[in-house]
C-alpha cells in the first residue's frame, strides 16, 4: 500500500504549504499565550439546534421522497444503500449462492468516524456517514458524493454539520460546522450523474472549529487516506450509521473487485460483504490497519450509491482522482459546481 503523499509529492507541497499558512494566521492569539480558545458561534448555534431528539429523528439521505442531499438543481435522488431501487440495470448484485456474509455489530463508535446532519428542503433532518482523514488543516471529513453533492459552491448549507462518534443522541466531541464553500465533490459526478458517474461517488468536507474552538482532527485524530492500492484488501473494518439507529455498526470482512456489466453504471468497484448496512451508512469508511491507527481505502458509495442490498456494499475506487480532489480540498481551491 502507498500513502496519499508519496505520489505527486512535489506538486502537492505548494498546496499543502498554502493550506497550512491560513491556519497559522488565523490561530487565536489568546490560545498561543495559554488563554481560552474563542468559541465558534456557528458551532454553538448548531449544537443547540441538533438536540438529542432531532439527532435521533434524522432520516438517512437515501430514503423516502426527499432522498436528495440538498436542493442542487439535479432533481431528487432515487438511489441509496440497502434500498429497493427501480433504476434500470442488467444485473443486481447481492449475496452469491453459499457466500458467507459477516455479521455487523452495534457499538459506541470510534472518534474518527461519525455522521453528518442537515435539514432538507422540507425541514426534515437528514444524515449520512463520514470519517476524519488526516490533513494539513486538521479539518477534513471524507464521505460519499451523493451525501454531499448538494452543498458544493453556492448551494444552501441548511444546518450542515459533522458529529464525530455520535451515539445514543450524544455528541462526545461536539459539533463541527462545514465551512462555506468547503464541500468538494468531483465535477465528473455532477456532469455524469449518480449512475453514469458512480465511479466518482466520493467527496470531502472542510469543517470549522467546534463550539469550544477546537479543530476536528485535534479533537478526534484522523485516519490515513490511501489511494492506488488496488481492490483486494483484508482485513477490512467497515463502519456506518444506519438511519434512525442509536449507535453505529461495524463489520470485519474483505474487499474484492467487482466489474459492472451495467452500461448505465459502468466501472470497477471494491466490493465487500457485510450484513445490515442499510440507508444512512452511505459514506461510512472501509478501514485497514495502519501504523498508529487506521487507513481508509474506500467508502460506502458508488455502483448504485453503495449497494442494492444490505448484505453487499461498494466503493468508488480510490485512485488519482481522489488524490486530486484531496489536493483541492487542502489547498482551498474553488469547489466544483453543478453545470445546470
Amino acid at each position: 500500500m502507498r500513502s496519499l503523499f508519496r505520489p505527486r509529492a512535489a506538486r502537492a507541497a505548494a498546496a499543502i504549504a498554502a493550506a497550512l499558512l491560513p491556519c497559522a494566521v488565523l490561530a487565536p492569539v489568546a490560545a498561543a499565550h495559554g488563554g481560552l480558545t474563542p468559541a465558534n458561534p456557528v458551532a454553538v448555534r448548531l449544537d443547540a439546534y441538533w438536540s438529542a431528539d432531532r439527532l435521533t429523528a434524522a432520516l438517512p439521505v437515501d430514503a423516502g421522497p426527499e432522498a436528495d442531499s440538498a436542493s442542487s438543481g439535479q432533481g431528487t435522488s432515487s438511489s441509496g444503500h440497502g434500498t429497493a431501487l427501480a433504476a434500470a440495470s442488467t444485473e443486481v448484485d447481492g449475496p452469491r449462492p453459499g457466500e458467507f456474509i459477516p455479521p455487523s455489530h452495534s457499538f459506541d463508535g470510534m472518534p474518527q468516524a461519525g455522521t453528518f446532519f442537515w435539514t432538507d428542503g422540507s425541514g426534515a433532518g437528514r444524515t449520512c456517514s463520514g470519517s476524519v482523514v488526516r490533513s494539513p488543516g486538521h479539518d477534513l471529513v471524507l464521505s460519499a458524493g451523493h451525501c454531499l453533492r448538494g452543498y458544493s459552491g453556492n448551494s444552501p448549507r441548511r444546518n450542515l454539520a459533522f458529529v464525530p462518534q455520535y451515539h445514543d443522541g450524544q455528541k462526545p466531541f461536539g459539533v463541527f460546522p462545514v465551512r462555506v464553500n468547503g464541500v468538494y465533490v468531483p465535477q465528473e459526478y455532477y456532469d455524469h450523474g449518480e449512475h453514469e458517474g458512480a465511479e466518482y461517488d466520493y467527496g470531502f468536507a472542510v469543517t470549522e472549529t467546534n463550539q469550544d474552538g477546537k479543530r476536528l482532527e485535534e479533537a478526534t485524530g484522523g485516519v490515513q487516506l490511501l489511494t492506488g492500492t488496488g481492490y483486494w484488501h483484508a482485513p477490512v473494518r467497515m463502519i456506518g450509521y444506519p438511519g434512525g439507529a442509536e449507535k453505529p455498526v461495524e463489520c470485519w470482512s474483505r474487499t474484492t473487485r467487482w466489474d459492472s456489466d451495467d452500461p448505465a453504471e459502468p466501472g470497477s468497484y471494491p466490493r465487500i460483504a457485510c450484513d445490515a448496512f442499510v440507508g444512512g451508512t452511505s459514506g461510512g469508511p472501509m478501514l485497514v490497519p495502519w501504523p498508529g491507527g487506521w487507513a481508509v481505502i474506500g467508502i460506502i458509495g458508488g455502483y448504485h450509491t453503495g449497494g442494492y442490498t444490505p448484505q453487499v456494499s461498494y466503493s468508488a475506487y480510490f485512485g488519482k482522482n481522489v488524490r486530486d480532489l484531496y489536493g483541492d480540498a487542502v489547498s482551498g481551491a474553488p469547489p466544483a459546481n453543478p453545470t445546470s
Side-chain angles (χ1 to χ4, degrees):
M1 296 180 180
R2 60 187 177 90
S3 167
L4 172 72
F5 295 104
R6 291 179 186 170
R8 63 198 289 269
R11 290 194 301 147
I16 292 173
L20 287 170
L21 287 175
C23 297
V25 172
L26 297 176
V29 175
H33 294 281
L36 296 176
T37 304
N40 181 351
V42 178
V44 171
R45 179 183 67 80
L46 290 176
D47 182 50
Y49 178 84
W50 288 113
S51 64
D53 288 343
R54 282 196 171 112
L55 292 172
T56 55
L59 302 170
V61 63
D62 38 26
E66 290 284 342
D68 202 358
S69 55
S71 177
S72 61
Q74 301 183 54
T76 304
S77 168
S78 63
S79 63
H81 188 275
T83 58
L85 307 182
S89 174
T90 59
E91 160 177 5
V92 176
D93 178 55
R96 297 161 180 162
E99 181 178 17
F100 172 66
I101 307 297
S104 62
H105 303 280
S106 177
F107 75 127
D108 284 344
M110 61 183 288
Q112 298 85 8
T115 185
F116 287 96
F117 291 96
W118 68 92
T119 50
D120 66 18
S122 69
R126 293 282 169 177
T127 183
C128 220
S129 303
S131 56
V132 183
V133 294
R134 296 173 185 170
S135 67
H138 306 290
D139 54 6
L140 204 59
V141 185
L142 169 68
S143 188
H146 72 270
C147 292
L148 298 173
R149 66 178 184 176
Y151 288 90
S152 289
N154 296 319
S155 296
R157 300 175 70 212
R158 290 207 293 258
N159 302 310
L160 177 63
F162 182 70
V163 181
Q165 202 176 356
Y166 165 74
H167 66 90
D168 301 295
Q170 300 177 35
K171 300 166 280 188
F173 296 96
V175 171
F176 293 82
V178 174
R179 186 179 301 172
V180 174
N181 286 333
V183 171
Y184 290 82
V185 174
Q187 186 65 56
E188 294 87 345
Y189 195 65
Y190 291 123
D191 293 344
H192 298 295
E194 63 184 17
H195 295 296
E196 186 182 343
E199 294 176 286
Y200 302 95
D201 192 358
Y202 48 81
F204 295 96
V206 183
T207 61
E208 300 178 5
T209 58
N210 67 3
Q211 58 268 42
D212 297 323
K214 181 169 284 190
R215 290 186 293 178
L216 176 60
E217 193 181 333
E218 292 172 346
T220 65
V223 299
Q224 182 67 41
L225 176 64
L226 297 184
T227 62
T229 60
Y231 297 85
W232 292 270
H233 296 275
V236 175
R237 182 189 186 192
M238 189 162 67
I239 297 173
Y241 280 79
E246 294 184 352
K247 299 178 185 291
V249 295
E250 65 175 346
C251 172
W252 288 84
S253 187
R254 65 189 179 96
T255 58
T256 57
R257 177 169 175 159
W258 175 264
D259 297 310
S260 171
D261 71 346
D262 183 352
E265 201 155 357
S268 298
Y269 305 86
R271 175 190 188 273
I272 184 170
C274 268
D275 195 22
F277 277 77
V278 297
T281 60
S282 290
M286 300 176 186
L287 304 171
V288 294
W290 190 254
W294 300 92
V296 58
I297 50 88
I299 51 93
I300 301 171
Y303 191 65
H304 311 311
T305 57
Y308 262 120
T309 72
Q311 294 83 28
V312 177
S313 300
Y314 300 90
S315 171
Y317 179 69
F318 279 17
K320 179 180 182 299
N321 290 326
V322 174
R323 294 198 302 272
D324 290 346
L325 190 65
Y326 175 92
D328 288 343
V330 301
S331 67
N337 279 286
T339 54
S340 60

